[in-house]
Amino acid sequence: MRIHYQEILKRNIQFILFIALSILCGLTTVVGLKAILGQKEPLIIGIDANGTRIVSSAQDPIYKTEAIQFIQSFFFNTYNFNHDNFYKRVGVATTYMSEDLWKKKQSKILDLKTRVENDQIELMSQIKKLSKDDEGNYHGLLEISERTRLNKKEHVLKVSVRLKITDRTRNNPYGLEVDSYEETLIH
Protein backbone atom coordinates (compact mmCIF):
# COMPACT_ATOMS: atom_id res chain seq x y z
CA MET A 1 0.00 0.00 0.00
CA ARG A 2 2.84 2.30 0.84
CA ILE A 3 4.43 1.69 -2.58
CA HIS A 4 1.11 2.55 -4.20
CA TYR A 5 1.02 5.94 -2.40
CA GLN A 6 4.62 6.67 -3.40
CA GLU A 7 3.88 5.94 -7.05
CA ILE A 8 0.79 8.15 -6.97
CA LEU A 9 2.83 10.92 -5.28
CA LYS A 10 5.56 10.61 -7.98
CA ARG A 11 2.97 10.75 -10.74
CA ASN A 12 1.30 13.83 -9.18
CA ILE A 13 4.65 15.61 -8.76
CA GLN A 14 5.55 14.86 -12.38
CA PHE A 15 2.16 16.16 -13.51
CA ILE A 16 2.57 19.36 -11.45
CA LEU A 17 6.10 19.87 -12.88
CA PHE A 18 4.75 19.30 -16.40
CA ILE A 19 2.03 21.93 -15.87
CA ALA A 20 4.53 24.40 -14.34
CA LEU A 21 7.00 23.95 -17.22
CA SER A 22 4.19 24.29 -19.79
CA ILE A 23 3.06 27.58 -18.20
CA LEU A 24 6.67 28.83 -18.06
CA CYS A 25 7.24 27.90 -21.72
CA GLY A 26 4.00 29.65 -22.75
CA LEU A 27 4.93 32.80 -20.84
CA THR A 28 8.41 32.84 -22.39
CA THR A 29 6.91 32.50 -25.87
CA VAL A 30 4.42 35.32 -25.26
CA VAL A 31 7.08 37.68 -23.85
CA GLY A 32 9.47 36.89 -26.74
CA LEU A 33 6.82 37.51 -29.40
CA LYS A 34 5.74 40.72 -27.70
CA ALA A 35 9.35 41.94 -27.64
CA ILE A 36 9.91 41.08 -31.31
CA LEU A 37 6.62 42.42 -32.65
CA GLY A 38 6.22 45.34 -30.27
CA GLN A 39 9.44 47.20 -31.17
CA LYS A 40 8.68 48.90 -34.48
CA GLU A 41 10.84 51.97 -33.92
CA PRO A 42 14.54 51.33 -33.43
CA LEU A 43 16.03 52.26 -30.10
CA ILE A 44 18.99 54.57 -30.64
CA ILE A 45 21.76 54.50 -28.08
CA GLY A 46 24.23 57.34 -28.46
CA ILE A 47 27.85 56.72 -27.53
CA ASP A 48 30.11 59.72 -28.10
CA ALA A 49 32.09 62.41 -26.29
CA ASN A 50 28.84 63.50 -24.58
CA GLY A 51 28.50 60.10 -22.90
CA THR A 52 26.29 57.06 -23.35
CA ARG A 53 22.53 57.61 -23.46
CA ILE A 54 19.26 56.62 -25.08
CA VAL A 55 18.59 59.22 -27.77
CA SER A 56 15.09 60.60 -27.40
CA SER A 57 15.37 64.11 -28.84
CA ALA A 58 15.87 65.19 -32.44
CA GLN A 59 18.18 67.91 -31.10
CA ASP A 60 20.69 65.40 -29.76
CA PRO A 61 24.26 66.10 -31.00
CA ILE A 62 24.57 62.49 -32.18
CA TYR A 63 22.35 63.34 -35.18
CA LYS A 64 24.82 65.96 -36.42
CA THR A 65 27.67 63.47 -36.11
CA GLU A 66 25.59 60.84 -37.86
CA ALA A 67 24.72 63.22 -40.73
CA ILE A 68 28.38 64.09 -41.22
CA GLN A 69 29.36 60.41 -41.30
CA PHE A 70 26.55 59.74 -43.79
CA ILE A 71 27.78 62.55 -46.08
CA GLN A 72 31.39 61.37 -45.79
CA SER A 73 30.31 57.88 -46.79
CA PHE A 74 28.26 59.28 -49.69
CA PHE A 75 31.23 61.37 -50.91
CA PHE A 76 33.63 58.43 -50.55
CA ASN A 77 31.42 56.12 -52.61
CA THR A 78 30.62 58.80 -55.20
CA TYR A 79 34.14 60.14 -55.77
CA ASN A 80 36.42 57.12 -55.19
CA PHE A 81 36.17 54.45 -57.86
CA ASN A 82 37.82 52.78 -60.80
CA HIS A 83 36.54 50.57 -63.61
CA ASP A 84 36.73 47.45 -61.40
CA ASN A 85 34.71 48.73 -58.42
CA PHE A 86 32.43 51.30 -60.08
CA TYR A 87 29.27 49.22 -59.59
CA LYS A 88 30.01 48.59 -55.94
CA ARG A 89 30.96 52.15 -54.95
CA VAL A 90 28.52 54.15 -57.03
CA GLY A 91 25.86 51.51 -56.38
CA VAL A 92 26.12 52.22 -52.67
CA ALA A 93 25.97 55.96 -53.34
CA THR A 94 22.79 55.55 -55.38
CA THR A 95 21.11 53.70 -52.51
CA TYR A 96 21.76 56.80 -50.40
CA MET A 97 19.82 58.93 -52.92
CA SER A 98 16.11 59.67 -52.68
CA GLU A 99 13.95 58.20 -55.42
CA ASP A 100 13.46 61.63 -57.06
CA LEU A 101 17.19 62.35 -57.11
CA TRP A 102 17.93 58.90 -58.56
CA LYS A 103 15.48 59.56 -61.40
CA LYS A 104 17.18 62.90 -62.14
CA LYS A 105 20.75 61.53 -62.01
CA GLN A 106 20.20 58.06 -63.48
CA SER A 107 21.13 58.89 -67.07
CA LYS A 108 24.25 60.83 -66.00
CA ILE A 109 25.42 57.94 -63.81
CA LEU A 110 24.87 55.39 -66.56
CA ASP A 111 26.78 57.62 -69.02
CA LEU A 112 29.59 57.91 -66.49
CA LYS A 113 29.66 54.12 -66.16
CA THR A 114 30.24 53.79 -69.89
CA ARG A 115 33.00 56.43 -69.87
CA VAL A 116 34.70 54.81 -66.87
CA GLU A 117 34.77 51.42 -68.61
CA ASN A 118 35.88 52.78 -71.98
CA ASP A 119 38.56 55.19 -70.72
CA GLN A 120 39.53 53.23 -67.59
CA ILE A 121 38.92 56.26 -65.39
CA GLU A 122 40.05 56.16 -61.78
CA LEU A 123 38.83 58.80 -59.35
CA MET A 124 40.27 59.43 -55.88
CA SER A 125 39.06 62.16 -53.56
CA GLN A 126 39.75 63.70 -50.22
CA ILE A 127 37.37 65.90 -48.24
CA LYS A 128 39.08 69.17 -47.34
CA LYS A 129 36.16 70.97 -45.72
CA LEU A 130 32.59 70.13 -44.71
CA SER A 131 30.17 72.73 -43.37
CA LYS A 132 26.46 73.29 -42.83
CA ASP A 133 24.60 76.49 -43.72
CA ASP A 134 21.59 78.09 -42.00
CA GLU A 135 19.13 76.33 -44.33
CA GLY A 136 20.43 72.88 -43.33
CA ASN A 137 22.38 72.22 -46.54
CA TYR A 138 25.85 70.73 -46.29
CA HIS A 139 28.73 72.02 -48.40
CA GLY A 140 31.86 70.01 -49.04
CA LEU A 141 35.14 70.98 -50.62
CA LEU A 142 36.85 68.00 -52.24
CA GLU A 143 40.23 67.54 -53.86
CA ILE A 144 39.86 65.05 -56.67
CA SER A 145 42.53 63.21 -58.58
CA GLU A 146 41.31 61.82 -61.92
CA ARG A 147 43.39 59.32 -63.86
CA THR A 148 42.67 58.11 -67.34
CA ARG A 149 44.98 55.86 -69.32
CA LEU A 150 48.02 58.16 -69.49
CA ASN A 151 46.57 61.40 -68.16
CA LYS A 152 46.24 62.67 -64.60
CA LYS A 153 44.22 65.74 -63.58
CA GLU A 154 43.70 67.41 -60.22
CA HIS A 155 40.39 69.17 -59.50
CA VAL A 156 38.83 71.03 -56.62
CA LEU A 157 35.11 70.43 -56.44
CA LYS A 158 32.48 72.15 -54.33
CA VAL A 159 29.50 69.89 -53.58
CA SER A 160 26.24 71.04 -51.98
CA VAL A 161 24.05 68.36 -50.41
CA ARG A 162 20.56 68.54 -48.94
CA LEU A 163 19.49 65.62 -46.77
CA LYS A 164 16.05 64.20 -46.13
CA ILE A 165 15.04 62.16 -43.08
CA THR A 166 13.61 58.72 -43.84
CA ASP A 167 12.90 55.49 -41.99
CA ARG A 168 15.84 53.54 -40.61
CA THR A 169 16.26 50.14 -42.20
CA ARG A 170 18.97 47.50 -42.44
CA ASN A 171 20.04 48.96 -45.79
CA ASN A 172 19.89 52.53 -44.47
CA PRO A 173 20.76 52.55 -40.76
CA TYR A 174 21.36 56.32 -40.86
CA GLY A 175 17.71 57.15 -41.58
CA LEU A 176 18.87 59.78 -44.09
CA GLU A 177 18.72 60.20 -47.85
CA VAL A 178 20.41 62.64 -50.19
CA ASP A 179 17.54 64.72 -51.54
CA SER A 180 19.69 66.84 -53.84
CA TYR A 181 23.33 67.47 -54.62
CA GLU A 182 25.00 69.96 -56.88
CA GLU A 183 28.61 69.94 -58.05
CA THR A 184 30.63 73.03 -58.95
CA LEU A 185 34.10 72.66 -60.44
CA ILE A 186 36.39 75.30 -58.91
CA HIS A 187 39.48 74.50 -61.01
Side-chain angles (χ1 to χ4, degrees):
M1 188 80 145
R2 186 180 174 135
I3 295 175
H4 179 66
Y5 286 126
Q6 287 176 345
E7 290 299 318
I8 290 176
L9 181 63
K10 268 193 211 176
R11 190 179 71 202
N12 289 341
I13 290 173
Q14 285 177 343
F15 182 71
I16 291 169
L17 286 174
F18 171 75
I19 296 295
L21 285 174
S22 297
I23 291 171
L24 185 62
C25 183
L27 286 174
T28 304
T29 303
V30 168
V31 169
L33 285 174
K34 186 175 179 182
I36 290 171
L37 298 176
Q39 180 112 12
K40 299 207 187 255
E41 191 172 314
L43 180 65
I44 301 171
I45 300 173
I47 303 172
D48 60 5
N50 298 318
T52 304
R53 67 209 170 278
I54 294 177
V55 178
S56 58
S57 167
Q59 306 307 319
D60 197 288
I62 197 82
Y63 286 117
K64 181 179 178 185
T65 305
E66 193 173 41
I68 289 170
Q69 289 175 342
F70 175 77
I71 291 169
Q72 287 173 339
S73 177
F74 177 73
F75 285 167
F76 176 79
N77 286 300
T78 304
Y79 299 108
N80 288 291
F81 59 81
N82 59 32
H83 64 281
D84 292 329
N85 65 11
F86 182 85
Y87 273 119
K88 180 181 178 188
R89 295 273 174 86
V90 178
V92 170
T94 60
T95 62
Y96 289 168
M97 294 179 185
S98 67
E99 196 62 34
D100 293 337
L101 180 61
W102 165 244
K103 287 176 184 174
K104 289 178 190 173
K105 301 284 185 178
Q106 182 177 7
S107 62
K108 284 184 180 179
I109 292 171
L110 294 176
D111 290 342
L112 177 63
K113 177 188 123 347
T114 306
R115 282 187 31 228
V116 167
E117 288 175 352
N118 291 340
D119 298 338
Q120 296 183 351
I121 296 172
E122 181 178 351
L123 216 62
M124 293 178 288
S125 71
Q126 188 173 12
I127 300 172
K128 288 300 177 185
K129 185 178 178 183
L130 190 59
S131 60
K132 183 178 178 183
D133 65 16
D134 295 336
E135 297 172 5
N137 297 326
Y138 290 86
H139 303 281
L141 195 62
L142 285 79
E143 282 185 355
I144 296 180
S145 174
E146 178 183 354
R147 255 192 271 187
T148 58
R149 295 183 188 154
L150 295 173
N151 191 13
K152 184 175 181 179
K153 297 178 187 174
E154 301 289 328
H155 305 287
V156 176
L157 191 67
K158 181 181 178 188
V159 183
S160 298
V161 176
R162 185 174 63 238
L163 299 180
K164 178 172 86 170
I165 296 173
T166 186
D167 293 332
R168 292 177 187 267
T169 62
R170 284 188 190 269
N171 294 334
N172 186 356
Y174 293 103
L176 298 169
E177 284 183 335
V178 177
D179 197 33
S180 73
Y181 82 93
E182 301 295 325
E183 300 172 338
T184 307
L185 188 63
I186 294 177
H187 71 80

